[in-house]
Amino acid sequence: MAQPTDRELVDKALGGDAEAFGLLVRRHQKRIFRLAFHLVRSAAEAEDVTQETFVRAYQALGRFDGRSEPFTWLYRIAVNLSLNTIRARKPTRDATSSDDPRVESLLRETRLTFGGDPATASQQKQLATALCDGIDALSDTLRTTLILVCIDGVPHEEASKILGCPEGTVAWRVHEARRKLREYLAGRGFGGEAV
């Protein structure tokens, strides 16, 4: 038996099938959390954003018009809630700590390439920390677009729907974010080839 599509799950949920919405949540919960975590940079706040995303989606099921895919709609809710969380914070933000899970995630990807050389591992950790700091230094708009497209792998067409802007704007934001990251890394002694 084939798995129901997201649209079929939404239709079933609209018909009162709570299990269908539960399946939709399980299907997208990790991606929504990862997106929120990259945006708000706090696991506790990302959990709150993730939970609130699905609460709001459930409450607004009747208003889902089907012009976009359900995951696009969920992403848009998560992005808006993440940005609201960021704006509600006090303006100070500490530098990336060495135990930031984002750093470990970046390092996991490079360990396969560079092996176990301690000197290389140390350099890669410094680069990963600087990269996270550089991403954090971007404006909310550039950071959100970069995370959606480059980290989460959302195609430009879907990102434009999630962010409510033309595809060309998404492409420009990604280009600009990468340019700023290269400058940031170069200012800290790293070559811009990492971005």
Side-chain angles (χ1 to χ4, degrees), residues 129-172:
T129 301
L131 186 58
C132 288
D133 287 342
I135 291 171
D136 291 348
L138 294 171
S139 69
D140 290 345
T141 302
L142 292 180
R143 186 175 63 251
T144 302
T145 307
L146 182 77
I147 289 167
L148 279 173
V149 174
C150 297
I151 294 175
D152 215 31
V154 175
H156 285 197
E157 180 182 355
E158 289 299 317
S160 73
K161 292 175 186 173
I162 292 166
L163 299 171
C165 64
E167 279 185 63
T169 301
V170 170
W172 178 85

Side-chain angles (χ1 to χ4, degrees), residues 2-3 30 36 47 52 181:
Q3 291 286 328
K30 286 182 182 177
E47 287 175 15
E52 185 64 20
L181 279 175

Side-chain angles (χ1 to χ4, degrees), residues 32-50:
I32 295 293
F33 175 82
R34 187 175 61 232
L35 169 68
F37 182 77
H38 276 290
L39 291 171
V40 301
R41 303 176 305 269
S42 158
E45 288 178 327
E47 287 175 15
D48 291 344
V49 166
T50 302

Side-chain angles (χ1 to χ4, degrees), residues 87-156:
R87 289 181 193 118
R89 278 193 206 134
K90 295 185 181 194
T92 58
R93 177 80 185 156
D94 296 333
T96 302
S97 69
S98 62
D99 61 348
D100 187 321
R102 296 175 303 160
V103 171
E104 186 58 34
S105 174
L106 288 170
L107 290 175
R108 244 182 274 124
E109 294 173 18
T110 59
R111 277 191 196 118
L112 297 173
T113 307
F114 294 106
D117 176 34
T120 303
S122 176
Q123 290 172 337
Q124 290 300 315
K125 187 165 188 168
Q126 291 172 357
L127 174 60
T129 301
L131 186 58
C132 288
D133 287 342
I135 291 171
D136 291 348
L138 294 171
S139 69
D140 290 345
T141 302
L142 292 180
R143 186 175 63 251
T144 302
T145 307
L146 182 77
I147 289 167
L148 279 173
V149 174
C150 297
I151 294 175
D152 215 31
V154 175
H156 285 197

